[in-house]
Amino acid sequence: MTEVLSAGLRRRLAGVEERYEELERSVGDPATTSDRNRIREVGQELSSLTPIVETIRSLRDAERRLADAQQLTEGDDADLRDLAQEEVAELSTKTQELIARLRTQLVPRDPLDEKNVIVEIRAGEGGEEAALFASDLYRMYARYAERHRWRTEILSQSQSEKGGFKEVIFKVSGRGSYSKLKFESGVHRVQRVPATEAQGRIHTSTATVAVLPEAEEDDLVINEDDLKIDVYRAGGHGGQGVNTTDSAVRITHLPTGEVVICQDERSQLKNKTKAMAVLRSRLLARAAEERQERESSARNAQIGRGERSEKMRTYNFPQDRLTDRRLGYNLSNLDRRMDGDIDDLVDALSEQDQADRMSRLEEDGD
């Protein structure tokens, strides 16, 4: 299929070139050279636009040569026509490659893509089986991280009676981890015969996943006066040291009502540090959503309510089928995917997202 740039997108390309030339002129402007911050800003913007402008100019040159070659194919000289037809084929291919490259270059990169992530998984509907499924999802992401040589660290967990997770919050550290895992946010549904089922009946359960970019301390300022911090004695599993000291920490962010609890560590300070990391990431996600003028926070939009009908993805074990409603096809080999082999799924979702953003970009340009 031959790709053609819309008139709106061509106007956008012209605007990019104009901005690039404006920046080139400003580099030598005394108003720029006398301001260290301005020099840095101009340099960074020039650097980001340079590869796009190089592609634009290469495309323009290829299109001009292609038009010339197409004219020659209509001439009287048979030998020249044959050579021109070969050049038309070659330049047509090159033009398509340059258009495809431009499409990729023009899609704005998510500034959060290179960040580490904090993943929150919670059991939804389905009781004990939902908690076991939440545990399976945690293992899937942990194995996926391991395959990419990323490091994982559990920040908070609440186990169910049969060893599943009512809730588990963990951090994934690795370059680009947010760019890969951000498409996992939503309600995940499982259909299978659970270990808790004595009569072999298929059950449907859900778990919710929220993927938040890890917020650094300088990403946003949290006013200490906006925090209510409670310490208390931890409950549940953890041993004598955890259960007999006031090490558990609950932090409430008063302006938003966000509450984070951490009690896994014996040290109150360590629990507070982990809780603050989760809170900071939730607030960063909220701020990002507000900048995009959406009504709800990223965390709430990602998590949903956990109802069976609110699924983002279904894992159907009896039919060995994984269905992601954002894709137009199903995937198989569920056992392999639950072991963290989900690169093809993540890549497909990433490519679709890029295509959607490119489509919106062209619509905005028209």
Side-chain angles (χ1 to χ4, degrees), residues 103-104 107 348-363:
R103 288 180 179 278
T104 301
V107 175
L349 291 168
S350 179
E351 290 168 7
Q352 181 168 295
D353 175 70
Q354 186 176 53
D356 289 344
R357 286 188 289 149
M358 188 65 232
S359 177
R360 290 195 295 272
L361 189 68
E362 291 191 329
E363 288 174 0

Side-chain angles (χ1 to χ4, degrees), residues 142-202:
R143 289 284 291 128
Y144 177 72
E146 184 181 322
R147 290 169 182 267
H148 286 264
R149 298 185 178 180
W150 298 335
R151 187 169 59 87
T152 58
E153 175 191 6
I154 290 182
L155 302 179
S156 176
Q157 61 180 310
S158 174
Q159 290 189 310
S160 67
E161 291 182 3
K162 295 187 180 299
F165 282 127
K166 296 177 182 176
E167 172 188 279
V168 58
I169 302 174
F170 61 101
K171 175 180 173 182
V172 180
S173 302
R175 185 172 183 179
S177 53
Y178 181 71
S179 70
K180 297 289 189 181
L181 289 171
K182 63 184 178 181
F183 302 108
E184 293 303 298
S185 295
V187 177
H188 296 238
R189 184 175 76 161
V190 64
Q191 293 175 320
R192 64 183 178 186
V193 178
T196 56
E197 169 59 47
Q199 299 180 13
R201 292 175 298 184
I202 296 173

Side-chain angles (χ1 to χ4, degrees), residues 22-80:
E22 178 186 333
L23 290 168
E24 280 191 316
R25 290 192 296 271
S26 72
V27 168
D29 191 326
T32 301
T33 56
S34 62
D35 186 337
R36 184 176 301 175
N37 290 333
R38 177 62 180 157
I39 291 174
R40 185 176 64 254
E41 289 172 3
V42 170
Q44 288 176 342
E45 190 174 355
L46 262 176
S47 177
S48 68
L49 292 181
T50 296
I52 302 175
V53 171
E54 288 176 348
T55 306
I56 292 172
R57 292 174 178 174
S58 295
L59 176 61
R60 185 184 300 119
D61 179 65
E63 289 178 330
R64 178 185 55 77
R65 290 166 56 201
L66 176 59
D68 291 342
Q70 286 172 332
Q71 275 192 326
L72 291 175
T73 62
E74 299 172 0
D76 297 330
D77 189 321
D79 291 338
L80 194 57

Side-chain angles (χ1 to χ4, degrees), residues 152-269:
T152 58
E153 175 191 6
I154 290 182
L155 302 179
S156 176
Q157 61 180 310
S158 174
Q159 290 189 310
S160 67
E161 291 182 3
K162 295 187 180 299
F165 282 127
K166 296 177 182 176
E167 172 188 279
V168 58
I169 302 174
F170 61 101
K171 175 180 173 182
V172 180
S173 302
R175 185 172 183 179
S177 53
Y178 181 71
S179 70
K180 297 289 189 181
L181 289 171
K182 63 184 178 181
F183 302 108
E184 293 303 298
S185 295
V187 177
H188 296 238
R189 184 175 76 161
V190 64
Q191 293 175 320
R192 64 183 178 186
V193 178
T196 56
E197 169 59 47
Q199 299 180 13
R201 292 175 298 184
I202 296 173
H203 285 222
T204 299
S205 304
T206 65
T208 61
V209 176
V211 179
L212 310 176
E214 182 190 29
E216 308 292 340
E217 288 191 18
D218 56 358
D219 283 334
L220 76 166
V221 177
I222 299 178
N223 191 332
E224 289 288 334
D225 293 337
D226 289 338
L227 301 179
K228 181 176 183 292
I229 301 177
D230 301 306
V231 295
Y232 57 94
R233 187 164 299 176
H237 304 292
Q240 184 177 357
V242 172
N243 294 307
T244 59
T245 61
D246 291 336
S247 59
V249 174
R250 178 174 56 242
I251 301 179
T252 305
H253 186 248
L254 299 175
T256 62
E258 283 286 357
V259 178
V260 182
I261 297 173
C262 192
Q263 62 177 17
D264 289 1
E265 300 287 348
R266 295 189 178 190
S267 163
Q268 183 184 118
L269 179 60

Side-chain angles (χ1 to χ4, degrees), residues 121-124 128-141 164-168 170 190 192 206-209:
I121 303 176
R122 292 179 178 81
E128 194 66 42
E129 163 64 0
L132 292 172
F133 179 48
S135 178
D136 291 340
L137 289 176
Y138 164 73
R139 181 179 181 277
M140 180 178 77
Y141 294 129
F165 282 127
K166 296 177 182 176
E167 172 188 279
V168 58
F170 61 101
V190 64
R192 64 183 178 186
T206 65
T208 61
V209 176

